[in-house]
Amino acid sequence: MIITPEPATTLSRQAPVIRCLPLPAFDDRDLDAVRAAFAAAVPCALGQAWRAVAEPGFAPGHVRTGWRNDSLLLFAELTDRDIFNTATGINQRMWELGDTFEVFLRPAGQTAYVEFHVTPNNQRLQLRIPNTKALRRARATNVFDEFLLAGDLFHSMTWVQPENQKWFVYVAIPTKAVCSQATLHAGSRWNFSFSRYDHTRSGGEPVVSSTSPHIVADFHRQQEWGELIFSAS
């Protein structure tokens, strides 16, 4: 929510533009099947564009995209030395409780946007933020309850491999969870940002990163989000 490599590149200052391709059907319970389905998708790297050099403790990650049957599909691979989150149910403050993968989406021409979180233990947070004025008001009090969305708006699966210092996230987000339209078609354009909180149980501030070239560490800076272009092939 609010943002307060081995040395690696931080991130390009240019917002990413992704051609989002249709994917075939696959078994989303099987990590190998998910990985194979997304194999041709171009990975979008997470970085720290607001820093000249990535901070110590930064761990790389990337996200691949696709779509099928009126849903945006995402597959994230995240390097992580200490994988955990203590969340126990939906719509808890995931970013404060441990490692969290975050998705921000706003269709072109729409003011409201959604923010979805997934934790390594596959707990979810679902928010719909109507506009930047409402966000500023909520930030002033650090209370975001008015934005919470009930129900199972999207589907997710996670796989945790501590022996490999990695965790993986698959997400399927129906169009109707993001905007008033029920269908998704080739030529649709959505603004997006993917981000993460990388906590360690030893304490200290989490290491945050984003696919967006933010000039400050604030994931809600929409002017720096990337663009998804849904393609027919």
Side-chain angles (χ1 to χ4, degrees), residues 30-215:
D30 184 329
L31 176 58
D32 289 337
V34 175
R35 185 185 281 117
F38 283 86
V42 176
C44 188
L46 292 147
Q48 296 182 313
W50 54 90
R51 298 177 60 95
V53 177
E55 68 184 290
F58 170 81
H62 61 260
V63 186
R64 298 175 188 267
T65 68
W67 67 290
R68 188 180 73 252
N69 295 341
D70 300 320
S71 290
L72 170 65
L73 310 179
L74 306 174
F75 179 54
E77 179 177 342
L78 307 170
T79 302
D80 196 330
R81 299 173 185 86
D82 184 15
I83 307 168
F84 79 100
N85 193 296
T86 59
T88 57
I90 191 171
N91 284 343
Q92 297 176 5
R93 294 169 72 99
M94 306 305 182
W95 73 100
E96 296 178 348
L97 300 174
D99 300 318
T100 305
F101 173 64
E102 302 185 348
V103 178
F104 296 82
L105 298 169
R106 181 177 59 80
Q110 179 173 299
T111 301
Y113 62 95
V114 296
E115 177 181 352
F116 297 145
H117 295 192
V118 182
T119 69
N121 54 338
N122 201 23
Q123 298 294 344
R124 297 188 301 278
L125 170 64
Q126 305 172 157
L127 302 159
R128 182 179 178 87
I129 300 169
N131 51 55
T132 54
K133 182 179 179 180
L135 176 66
R136 287 195 299 269
R137 183 179 66 248
R139 280 180 155 177
T141 60
N142 197 27
V143 177
F144 304 94
D145 292 357
E146 65 183 289
F147 304 147
L148 293 175
L149 300 172
D152 294 323
L153 294 188
F154 68 95
H155 169 69
S156 60
M157 293 287 294
T158 59
W159 300 266
V160 176
Q161 297 180 350
E163 69 280 8
N164 296 322
Q165 297 189 344
K166 286 184 181 292
W167 61 290
F168 304 86
V169 186
Y170 167 72
V171 182
I173 303 174
T175 306
K176 62 183 180 182
V178 181
C179 57
S180 58
Q181 295 178 333
T183 60
L184 188 60
H185 58 83
S188 295
R189 293 173 180 254
W190 290 5
N191 290 108
F192 80 94
S193 189
F194 309 131
S195 58
R196 72 183 288 200
Y197 277 76
D198 186 3
H199 286 257
T200 58
R201 274 172 277 220
S202 58
E205 293 297 315
V207 177
V208 299
S209 55
S210 174
T211 57
S212 297
H214 294 306
I215 62 173

